[in-house]
Amino acid sequence: MHTLMTEVLGYEKYGVAGSDYGALVTSALGHKYADSIIGLHYGQDMPPGQFANERFWDLTDGAKIPEDASPELRAGLENLVDTYVSHVAVHMLDASTLTHGLNDSPIGMLAWLLRRWKKWSDKRGNFEENFPRDFILTQATTFWVTQSIGTSIRMYRNAVRYPWVPSHNRQPIVEPPAGFTFLLGDAYPPAVSTVEERIAAFENGLTRSSFNVVNVNAHMKGGHFVHYENPEAFTSDLRKTFRKLR
């Protein structure tokens, strides 16, 4: 990506934006090529090395729900695990086995993809509006005719087989100015129900120190798929982030 922007397209400086796995790419670029990057904007707060732990297949890293957890926190943690754990675990541990099954069955592959879109999106939103049938069928057809479902799954285990290696020990590890758009319909973080709580969860969380934060916003509308579920908010926040860099 850096070679494309600087050597192929000829930009001395560029900006980066991403969410989901793209947030990991954004962070890796921001860490290694900070001198060439004007700024970053994220849909999720994911520092580089996200899967660099002993229990790489386990989103909770072996943690149990605290016995004294409030009912809201317990429900939120259970929902977080129920939403994401099967996706990460099977992609990490049985990627090739799953690939053969999905490549062999277009119905099976469509069911797998649709489960993620429906489970990870905002339950308060209108799924059919955010993900029209033509969009779903186009995405699934692209995976099917190119037989690329396997490579999309393999990148999870490859993050462990070929782990991120720091280029320096400066702090924060992602140095360019960074902005964030958080949507409250996501299962992460658990037990967050207001814009203020979502921003506070980030400001007081473990990932905050990894970034040079200049802009943080949260919005009620939308879930995990930031660009699809609330593109207006993401675009507006991205513009605010880069205005702060002038």
Side-chain angles (χ1 to χ4, degrees):
M1 187 70 72
H2 178 72
T3 299
L4 171 66
M5 295 303 297
T6 57
E7 297 181 19
V8 178
L9 298 178
Y11 292 101
E12 293 184 8
K13 299 271 190 177
Y14 59 94
V16 188
S19 61
D20 192 84
Y21 217 94
L24 288 178
V25 176
T26 300
S27 289
L29 287 167
H31 172 81
K32 190 171 183 178
Y33 302 110
D35 290 343
S36 298
I37 294 178
I38 300 168
L40 312 167
H41 195 81
Y42 291 85
Q44 282 92 20
D45 49 319
M46 298 174 69
Q50 176 78 15
F51 299 111
N53 57 67
E54 186 175 356
R55 296 175 60 87
F56 55 85
W57 67 91
D58 182 0
L59 281 178
T60 69
D61 201 21
K64 296 183 178 180
I65 298 177
E67 293 185 4
D68 60 349
S70 66
E72 293 78 14
L73 179 57
R74 180 173 294 276
L77 288 169
E78 290 175 349
N79 181 55
L80 175 66
V81 170
D82 183 55
T83 300
Y84 293 118
V85 71
S86 66
H87 179 86
V88 174
V90 74
H91 282 212
M92 285 291 192
L93 300 176
D94 289 305
S96 295
T97 304
L98 178 63
T99 293
H100 292 309
L102 299 185
N103 265 336
D104 190 58
S105 170
I107 296 297
M109 188 183 64
L110 179 61
W112 185 260
L113 294 173
L114 187 57
R115 168 70 171 173
R116 271 111 196 95
W117 287 321
K118 295 203 76 170
K119 185 68 175 176
W120 297 7
S121 60
D122 189 353
K123 302 301 181 295
R124 302 163 304 184
N126 187 318
F127 182 80
E128 286 74 19
E129 285 185 5
N130 292 323
F131 301 95
R133 179 171 296 189
D134 282 349
F135 167 84
I136 292 172
L137 294 177
T138 298
Q139 294 283 314
T141 300
T142 300
F143 278 117
W144 175 249
V145 300
T146 61
Q147 294 192 331
S148 57
I149 191 70
T151 50
S152 76
I153 292 172
R154 173 58 64 179
M155 67 184 184
Y156 282 83
R157 187 54 182 266
N158 279 351
V160 179
R161 297 176 68 203
Y162 312 103
W164 172 76
V165 178
S167 301
H168 58 77
N169 60 3
R170 299 188 299 272
Q171 296 296 324
I173 59 175
V174 183
E175 296 177 291
F180 295 84
T181 296
F182 299 129
L183 305 184
L184 269 71
D186 197 357
Y188 173 84
V192 168
S193 58
T194 68
V195 167
E196 293 76 18
E197 288 175 350
R198 180 62 185 95
I199 294 175
F202 171 66
E203 293 288 359
N204 301 315
L206 297 176
T207 64
R208 172 63 174 79
S209 62
S210 297
F211 303 101
N212 176 15
V213 180
V214 298
N215 183 35
V216 183
N217 294 281
H219 307 269
M220 294 299 296
K221 176 187 174 183
H224 183 78
F225 302 103
V226 183
H227 306 82
Y228 293 114
E229 297 186 77
N230 199 339
E232 299 86 1
F234 189 84
T235 302
S236 176
D237 291 347
L238 184 149
R239 288 172 174 159
K240 291 177 183 177
T241 294
F242 282 87
R243 284 196 201 104
K244 291 177 180 288
L245 309 182
R246 292 177 180 175

